[in-house]
Amino acid sequence: MNRSFLSVLVVLVILGAIVCGIVRYSGGPDIDKSSYQAVMMTNGIAYYGKIDSTYGKYITLSDVFYLQQSAGNPLALIRFANETQGPQNMIYINKSQVSFLYNLDTTKELYKKIQELSAQEAKTKSATQAK
């Protein structure tokens, strides 16, 4: 009797772990991998890029941009990789610091500006490599 009780208990623990794992990793956001996402941080900063992964503790965001406004100038779209410290164009964001995220609307100005900037950079890069 003691052995069968222990067997049942082990099976229940394993099933509980499986169910908890499924609940924990399901029901996440519907990420459009062909588009860009906005990731709004709890400190008010917003990053725009392509979410590569939401698995684990971090969100992996590549092809990253943000908006910057300086005194007297309109908002400018800045590629994260162009920062003076020379980061790669990928960031790892702690999920606990994310307020919310969403897929960018492909018909809106920000998405179109990202596409334009990316096309200009690709054109410049290919022209530089051709020299």
Side-chain angles (χ1 to χ4, degrees), residues 2 7 11 21 23 62 64 66-67 74-75 97 104 121 129:
N2 193 15
S7 297
V11 168
V23 168
S62 65
V64 184
Y66 63 93
L67 293 171
L75 285 173
Q97 300 302 309
L104 290 181
E121 290 173 350
Q129 291 175 346

Side-chain angles (χ1 to χ4, degrees), residues 49-90:
K50 294 189 174 194
I51 294 179
D52 294 329
S53 172
T54 58
Y55 184 77
K57 186 177 178 180
Y58 295 94
I59 293 173
T60 305
L61 191 67
S62 65
D63 202 13
V64 184
F65 296 87
Y66 63 93
L67 293 171
Q68 182 179 58
Q69 185 169 15
S70 55
N73 293 327
L75 285 173
L77 186 64
I78 309 294
R79 183 178 288 280
F80 185 75
N82 292 343
E83 290 292 325
T84 55
Q85 69 271 23
Q88 293 182 349
N89 200 13
M90 181 175 285

Side-chain angles (χ1 to χ4, degrees), residues 94-112:
N94 190 318
K95 287 180 181 177
S96 69
Q97 300 302 309
V98 175
S99 180
F100 61 93
L101 57 90
Y102 58 89
N103 294 309
L104 290 181
D105 185 337
T106 59
T107 66
K108 301 297 183 188
E109 189 67 31
L110 180 60
Y111 182 85
K112 291 176 183 177

